[in-house]
Amino acid sequence: MAQFVAEHYRQNVEPLGYKAFLVGVDREACAHYKHALDQFLPPEYSEVVYTGSNNDSKLLKEFHLDPKKERQIRKSFGKLDQQPKILIVTEKLLTGFDAPVLYAMYLDKPMRDHTLLQAIARVNRPYENEAQEMVKPHGFVLDFVGIFDKLEKALAFDSDEINAIVKDLKLLKVLFKNKMESRAPDTLGLIEQQFNDKDVDTLIEHFRDPERRKEFFKEYKEIEMLYEIISPDAFLRPFIDDYGTLSAIYQVVRKAYTRTVMVDREFQAKTNHLVQQQVGSYGVGGLGEIVAIDGNTLELIKNKSGGDGTKVINLIKSIEKLAEEGSDDPYLIAMAERARAVQESFEQRQTSTAEALEALLKEVATNEVRKKEQAEKSFDGLTYFVYRSLLDAKIENAEAVSRKIRQAFADFPNWKRSENALRELRKKVTFAIFAETDDLDRVTAMVNELFTLLDKADRI
């Protein structure tokens, strides 16, 4: 039994990122399960939690917990990135313990009525984690003792109430089939030629709207969860091609519009295997390709294959990458901010694809002029940005003032770590500009803009 639980957890639950309960018939069973499970999983994967007694046997006393240790186990279990991954229990924690990351319950204990219902409720707690792109619409119970074979006897409730709470795997197959036949076709219909440049551009255009993307991502993640639960099963064979294509669409849209893509969390384990086989044959790797932002960019973009929508996405990501690599240069940070503003306008359909592309190419051209002028004056990035800002604000002696400000930064090298140093630096920068104009409000706005950009640079 322990070997089966270990293999099932490793293959079906751990790849989803979730945790599990193993419910033994009594405390002795929990202790024996722990010894057996440690033969197939690392010992830190599981902990035993039950109420101890002074009269307990040596076996039971082996897993007694003091209140502090038990609190720590409960707290750690509720966090995705901490051990343990499996709690071995018999009564304690089956009711009242709230851990939405709990997904699977291996049930080796007869239960009835409210006790069973509350145990099911533990795994049925919904869980959504946007950062990890995880959606848990329901839990999973693996019944070793046959409770679910006669569910209406185990739960003294109306049949409709039971069906609203517990769904057999057969019903999940029906749900998967319904979603693939009713919800997926509209999205699948966007692909005509196995993800050629036209198809990719169609997807970028169709999913420009953030709300439409959010709805698609949520729907896809629910379908993916069903696939992960059901697979491997011959039932899935008629849906494999369409599901693979839907997953490839998700990959393209996510790659285009998600700023930070966590490769290891892009798909669940079984879907990832399918996508590696299927998407590889589509050749959709050109999306999100980083291009060098230099004097050759305009010609490179002009000759590049793919539609304008793909070029817009690639240019935005390339400008952001440039800003990330040059995070000490306020000009590049400001350039990336403007690129993101273009993207937002593009997504909200306030700007056409052609207008967005033109605005981004203009940014590239302006950056080349900037680089040339900066080199001629032997300015570093910070000095040039201040110089350009002073010129735009029509401040006298812009070059001399910008050099004073550069020196002020050199005088306070610890300004990012010291409040006093930051305060003194801001004062020096303010006075350097204020010496050339009596408009304090304008000076304050310029200083605020400079330090806001530098703060953003630290968070790139």
Side-chain angles (χ1 to χ4, degrees):
M1 293 276 281
Q3 183 177 6
F4 181 89
V5 168
E7 289 175 357
H8 186 276
Y9 181 81
R10 273 276 171 85
Q11 293 172 12
N12 296 277
V13 181
E14 189 174 31
L16 299 176
Y18 295 115
K19 300 196 174 185
F21 271 9
L22 171 53
V23 184
V25 68
D26 55 25
R27 295 185 303 154
E28 284 83 2
C30 290
H32 286 304
Y33 259 128
K34 172 60 177 170
H35 286 147
L37 207 58
D38 284 353
Q39 297 178 45
F40 305 103
L41 291 174
E44 63 271 17
Y45 264 49
S46 62
E47 292 281 1
V48 181
V49 180
Y50 53 60
T51 302
S53 168
N54 290 332
N55 298 324
D56 281 346
S57 65
K58 182 180 178 182
L59 174 67
L60 292 179
K61 285 184 177 179
E62 184 180 348
F63 299 107
H64 280 190
L65 298 171
D66 62 64
K68 183 179 179 181
K69 176 66 174 175
E70 184 176 324
R71 283 195 301 272
Q72 183 57 51
I73 288 172
R74 288 171 177 244
K75 186 177 179 181
S76 298
F77 184 78
K79 297 181 179 179
L80 291 172
D81 58 345
Q82 294 185 18
Q83 305 281 16
K85 298 186 177 188
I86 301 172
L87 290 185
I88 305 170
V89 300
T90 183
E91 290 181 2
K92 212 168 191 178
L93 305 187
L94 281 179
T95 60
F97 179 56
D98 188 27
V101 297
L102 172 62
Y103 163 71
M105 181 182 294
Y106 300 103
L107 189 58
D108 191 23
K109 175 181 180 176
M111 286 192 284
R112 287 182 56 86
D113 299 339
H114 285 91
T115 305
L116 175 58
L117 198 62
Q118 289 182 4
I120 293 170
R122 294 308 96 215
V123 297
N124 253 5
R125 290 279 285 109
Y127 179 76
E128 288 192 30
N129 185 324
E130 287 190 17
Q132 296 288 331
E133 298 219 354
M134 295 169 68
V135 178
K136 188 191 91 175
H138 42 68
F140 181 82
V141 179
L142 204 159
D143 171 23
F144 288 121
V145 293
I147 293 172
F148 288 87
D149 293 338
K150 298 177 181 177
L151 195 57
E152 291 189 25
K153 289 184 179 180
L155 288 173
F157 303 107
D158 181 85
S159 296
D160 290 339
E161 290 183 72
I162 295 172
N163 288 332
I165 299 164
V166 181
K167 289 181 171 61
D168 187 84
L169 197 60
K170 292 194 291 283
L171 295 178
L172 296 184
K173 291 179 181 180
V174 171
L175 183 58
F176 180 85
K177 182 174 185 289
N178 288 344
K179 284 181 176 292
M180 288 300 296
E181 290 179 351
S182 64
R183 303 300 297 271
D186 286 345
T187 304
L188 294 171
L190 298 170
I191 302 300
E192 296 178 358
Q193 297 293 329
Q194 288 202 327
F195 293 90
N196 64 2
D197 292 338
K198 182 177 180 296
D199 284 340
V200 171
D201 230 48
T202 298
L203 292 176
I204 289 174
E205 177 62 29
H206 183 77
F207 287 105
R208 272 168 71 172
D209 176 47
E211 286 304 313
R212 177 178 280 180
R213 288 202 304 276
K214 185 177 180 181
E215 182 182 350
F216 168 60
F217 286 173
K218 184 175 185 297
E219 185 73 25
Y220 171 77
K221 281 297 176 180
E222 290 179 1
I223 293 173
E224 182 190 33
M225 173 64 85
L226 291 169
Y227 176 86
E228 294 286 325
I229 293 170
I230 298 166
S231 176
D233 192 299
F235 159 83
L236 291 169
R237 286 176 189 162
F239 304 101
I240 289 294
D241 286 346
D242 281 350
Y243 177 69
T245 302
L246 193 69
S247 299
I249 291 172
Y250 169 79
Q251 186 184 49
V252 168
V253 177
R254 186 168 177 265
K255 193 173 183 179
Y257 288 107
T258 303
R259 188 175 172 196
T260 302
V261 176
M262 293 167 291
V263 177
D264 60 324
R265 296 298 314 166
E266 189 164 24
F267 293 109
Q268 305 297 352
K270 299 171 192 174
T271 299
N272 188 60
H273 180 69
L274 175 66
V275 168
Q276 292 303 316
Q277 292 178 319
Q278 196 152 325
V279 175
S281 66
Y282 291 149
V284 296
L287 182 62
E289 182 182 336
I290 301 300
V291 297
I293 303 298
D294 54 30
N296 299 319
T297 305
L298 274 70
E299 192 66 25
L300 181 66
I301 289 293
K302 179 181 173 183
N303 295 328
K304 204 164 187 59
S305 62
D308 285 353
T310 302
K311 292 174 182 177
V312 166
I313 296 298
N314 287 354
L315 269 176
I316 291 168
K317 291 187 179 297
S318 299
I319 291 172
E320 288 178 336
K321 180 68 173 175
L322 181 67
E324 181 181 343
E325 292 172 348
S327 59
D328 58 344
D329 188 337
Y331 185 93
L332 295 179
I333 306 304
M335 184 179 174
E337 288 287 302
R338 292 192 295 272
R340 281 191 281 273
V342 170
Q343 180 172 2
E344 185 176 337
S345 179
F346 171 72
E347 290 182 14
Q348 299 294 340
R349 297 187 183 277
Q350 298 166 347
T351 302
S352 70
T353 307
E355 289 169 337
L357 183 59
E358 182 182 358
L360 293 168
L361 290 175
K362 185 177 179 181
E363 285 289 345
V364 174
T366 302
N367 186 52
E368 287 306 301
V369 174
R370 184 270 304 189
K371 283 160 56 177
K372 183 178 179 181
E373 186 177 10
Q374 182 176 321
E376 287 173 352
K377 292 186 175 294
S378 300
F379 282 167
D380 59 19
L382 174 63
T383 308
Y384 180 83
F385 178 80
V386 173
Y387 168 71
R388 191 69 254 173
S389 299
L390 295 173
L391 281 184
D392 292 343
K394 296 184 170 48
I395 302 296
E396 297 289 334
N397 301 314
E399 189 167 335
V401 174
S402 62
R403 293 188 187 279
K404 283 183 183 178
I405 291 173
R406 173 72 268 181
Q407 185 57 49
F409 274 89
D411 293 340
F412 295 97
N414 296 323
W415 66 272
K416 292 182 181 180
R417 297 182 295 276
S418 166
E419 287 291 331
N420 288 334
L422 174 60
R423 188 163 49 249
E424 290 302 314
L425 174 60
R426 287 186 67 110
K427 191 187 299 181
K428 274 201 168 188
V429 171
T430 300
F431 284 144
I433 303 174
F434 192 58
E436 301 298 333
T437 176
D438 57 2
D439 189 341
L440 185 57
D441 288 340
R442 186 165 62 142
V443 173
T444 302
M446 291 179 66
V447 174
N448 285 341
E449 180 189 6
L450 173 62
F451 282 93
T452 298
L453 279 173
L454 292 174
D455 181 57
K456 287 178 179 176
D458 284 343
R459 288 185 271 115
I460 284 185

